Amino acid sequence: PDPSNTEPPVTPGTFRQASRKPRYRVVLLGDPGVGKTSLVNLFAGVQERDLLDQHGGAAYERRLTVDGEETTLLVLDTWEPEQRGEESQRRSHCLQIGNAYIIVYSVTDRDSFESASELRIQLRRARQAEDIPIILVGNKTDLVRCREVSEEEGQACAAVFDCKFIETSAALQHNVDELFEGVVRQIRLRQGGKKS
Ligand code: GDP
């Protein structure tokens, strides 16, 4: 039996390397309504969605095997929109605690695509010296007729901002596993086999 099964729920402030298997914190960023919660629900399964983090946002933990190696991802869905231009504590906390980031926009909402670029800039500012994996995600590809952002634009943006890119549809469950597996691979590439 795996001893990590009996551990209490992990909150960001108390995150520890308790077992030998690597565990990583992944933070979801993006405008409201782009599909962050839908994506993470598909990843974690609804039954695992009840871990609440210390700020009241949702944290989802799941083990997954990628390229034959097991990893635990703790995915935090706690991002909140900026209010009256003020930087909230929760926002700066989110930008500090991730081992990796998923920046989501909706391909049907150009404003959310602009926000994604802005978030990338904020993240770079917050974690200047670090090379953190970032995946840019264009979600809602099933809404073909409402598309405002092409796949090429997404790719070009990712190239400029030096991050990975994938398009997903939470509604069709398209590329969602690939997204989270990609996160694990990006983390491993940078860790060079070390644990977090
Ligand atoms: P969040 O605010 O970023 O967490 O976004 P939600 O996950 O709450 O999604 C906002 C709305 O978009 C909900 O009504 C979802 O059902 C819908 N939604 C999310 N992902 C998709 C998608 O891939 N396709 C479509 N058609 N709707 C989606």
Side-chain angles (χ1 to χ4, degrees):
D2 186 336
S4 64
N5 283 338
T6 57
E7 284 169 36
V10 183
T11 59
T14 59
F15 195 77
R16 294 280 184 275
Q17 178 69 43
S19 70
R20 294 203 170 177
K21 296 190 182 86
R23 302 173 116 176
Y24 303 107
R25 264 188 234 112
V26 181
V27 179
L28 284 161
L29 305 178
D31 274 359
V34 295
K36 300 183 294 301
T37 305
S38 306
L39 289 168
V40 78
N41 278 343
L42 285 174
F43 163 73
V46 177
Q47 74 281 7
E48 302 197 40
R49 61 169 302 180
D50 296 329
L51 277 173
L52 288 186
D53 87 346
Q54 62 191 8
H55 295 283
Y60 306 72
E61 196 174 31
R62 199 191 111 186
R63 262 178 278 176
L64 70 168
T65 302
V66 179
D67 304 328
E69 263 185 77
E70 197 174 84
T71 301
T72 301
L73 287 189
L74 180 73
V75 183
L76 302 175
D77 181 21
T78 59
W79 191 244
E80 61 180 18
E82 197 171 293
Q83 278 158 11
R84 286 173 263 106
E86 284 174 28
E87 269 316 302
S88 79
Q89 237 185 331
R90 186 197 287 192
R91 286 171 69 91
S92 23
H93 182 69
C94 280
L95 296 177
Q96 290 301 332
I97 58 170
N99 299 116
Y101 287 84
I102 297 176
I103 303 181
V104 187
Y105 66 91
S106 165
V107 300
T108 66
D109 176 2
R110 182 159 288 280
D111 286 348
S112 72
F113 183 58
E114 310 292 341
S115 296
S117 300
E118 180 52 36
L119 285 167
R120 173 70 186 93
I121 291 165
Q122 284 183 27
L123 195 52
R124 182 146 59 190
R125 214 178 284 139
R127 306 282 290 272
Q128 266 169 14
E130 296 168 74
D131 178 24
I132 334 163
I134 299 171
I135 322 287
L136 180 68
V137 179
N139 187 43
K140 306 200 189 184
T141 54
D142 57 290
L143 299 176
V144 178
R145 290 191 192 160
C146 309
R147 193 188 264 269
E148 292 183 359
V149 184
S150 70
E151 185 168 9
E152 290 72 27
E153 283 176 280
Q155 275 162 350
C157 178
V160 166
F161 284 117
D162 192 23
C163 41
K164 288 280 163 192
F165 175 69
I166 190 168
E167 283 196 337
T168 57
S169 165
L172 299 180
Q173 306 198 12
H174 177 66
N175 267 352
V176 180
D177 289 343
E178 287 79 356
L179 163 62
F180 287 97
E181 287 166 14
V183 171
V184 172
R185 291 199 182 98
Q186 287 303 308
I187 294 172
R188 284 184 187 159
L189 270 175
R190 285 167 177 75
Q191 304 271 326
K194 280 183 292 167
K195 293 173 180 117
S196 70

